[in-house]
Amino acid sequence: MHNGSCLCGAVAFTIDGNLSPPSVCHCGQCRKQSGHVWASTWTNQNNLNFTANDTLQWFCASDSARRGFCSACGSFLFWQHNDEDTISISMGALSEPTGLMLSKHIFVADKGDYYDITDDLPQRAH
């Protein structure tokens, strides 16, 4: 079981199920919403249960996905594709220890020009 929340605690959740190896997304949308890159894991949507969600809001950043955030503190918490039964969860929102380690970088073709990727993890262009 994993626990997580936004910065102010108004959105809090538990995950009762497996989490994927986390990835780091370098796409322009994740960089703009998070302020840099976004590290996330994913699980089946049925594994996610909210203990508090009064301030959870969703933003449709594209026709294919939505992004969940806390309207009180602004924490970017979730990403969900419209046609899938999985949900991505911000690694920074999870309580430690997570027991997870970063596994790859995605959307590196869109990465910002102000940093380099200097680890040896696999990189996917998209």
Side-chain angles (χ1 to χ4, degrees), residues 17-86:
N18 294 331
L19 295 173
S20 71
S23 62
V24 179
C25 185
H26 298 267
C27 82
Q29 287 185 359
C30 281
R31 287 187 295 110
K32 284 187 181 279
Q33 189 158 18
S34 71
H36 182 43
V37 298
W38 194 57
S40 66
T41 181
W42 60 266
T43 191
N44 185 288
Q45 182 177 340
N46 294 333
N47 296 336
L48 177 66
N49 296 294
F50 290 97
T51 55
N53 67 355
D54 289 345
T55 60
L56 178 61
Q57 297 289 313
W58 292 93
F59 173 69
C60 294
S62 70
D63 292 337
S64 61
R66 64 185 188 156
R67 295 165 178 271
F69 66 97
C70 174
S71 64
C73 67
S75 295
F76 171 25
L77 303 167
F78 308 106
W79 182 91
Q80 187 172 38
H81 193 278
N82 295 341
D83 299 328
E84 296 178 4
D85 62 357
T86 59

Side-chain angles (χ1 to χ4, degrees), residues 98-111:
T98 66
L100 302 171
M101 293 294 293
L102 293 177
S103 66
K104 64 185 170 190
H105 295 270
I106 60 174
F107 289 93
V108 297
D110 301 330
K111 83 167 206 53

